[in-house]
Amino acid sequence: MSTTQSDRLRALLEPLVSAEGLDLEDIEVSRAGRRRQLRIVVDSDEGVELDACAELSRAVSEKLDETDVMGEGEYVLEVSSPGADRPLSERRHYVRATGRLAKLTLNDATELVARILAVDDEGLDLEVPGVKGRRPTARRVAFADIAKARVEIEFNRKDKKEEEA
């Protein structure tokens, strides 16, 4: 997707997404055979419900029909929330992942798997799980030291409600 088209799409769609109380995370135009696919990824602190995606999809479709930003030809519109495996790249992504286990690759190429306990403007407070019966340890990591990060999927972790019961 050209930068100009990307900028035009972002300028057109950002107000629609914000009006729904969502954050515009990504816009991607790709080829799917003879058609193009426009994929819009949105998120919020509370997550995104399927109904919100459907509602936003209708609003985006109407707005795109009023403009020439997608040019001539057919395209498929997809509005979705980010997957659980999406990269953590913005401060708000880390805030939304508080309490979750994350895999961080630091600038020195070391990898760290830890639970995000707190997030502030400079970085993260983490709990690194203990190995072989040892207690977990606290660790502080600055955003500037993180090369990439991703939430780790936990299939056996109890929900907070289950832990309180």
Side-chain angles (χ1 to χ4, degrees), residues 5 8-13 16 36 38 59-73 75:
Q5 184 183 31
R8 288 182 64 203
L9 280 166
R10 187 165 289 280
L12 183 71
L13 301 177
L16 289 173
R36 291 170 296 151
L38 171 59
V60 166
S61 181
E62 288 175 18
K63 191 60 135 177
L64 290 173
D65 288 346
E66 296 170 6
T67 70
D68 67 343
V69 72
M70 287 301 293
E72 295 295 319
Y75 65 91

Side-chain angles (χ1 to χ4, degrees), residues 122-139:
E122 286 80 41
L124 312 171
D125 289 328
L126 304 170
E127 179 184 74
V128 182
V131 180
K132 296 186 180 179
R134 293 192 175 138
R135 296 182 148 228
T137 56
R139 179 156 178 195

Side-chain angles (χ1 to χ4, degrees), residues 49-117:
E49 302 266 331
L50 184 59
D51 290 343
C53 285
E55 209 171 291
L56 182 60
S57 180
R58 283 189 288 276
V60 166
S61 181
E62 288 175 18
K63 191 60 135 177
L64 290 173
D65 288 346
E66 296 170 6
T67 70
D68 67 343
V69 72
M70 287 301 293
E72 295 295 319
E74 297 178 12
Y75 65 91
V76 175
L77 173 63
E78 177 186 324
V79 176
S80 65
S81 61
D85 63 342
R86 72 111 178 261
L88 303 174
S89 57
E90 304 277 337
R91 181 185 178 278
R92 69 177 179 262
H93 299 161
Y94 291 98
V95 170
R96 291 173 185 158
T98 299
R100 312 253 335 246
L101 203 59
K103 181 177 184 179
L104 295 91
T105 303
L106 304 179
N107 291 331
D108 65 3
T110 60
E111 289 187 345
L112 173 67
V113 176
R115 190 162 312 281
I116 300 172
L117 299 179

Side-chain angles (χ1 to χ4, degrees), residues 32-52:
R34 292 188 339 204
R35 294 185 182 167
R36 291 170 296 151
Q37 181 175 15
L38 171 59
R39 184 168 187 251
I40 300 167
V41 180
V42 296
D43 202 3
S44 80
D45 290 345
E46 296 78 36
V48 181
E49 302 266 331
L50 184 59
D51 290 343

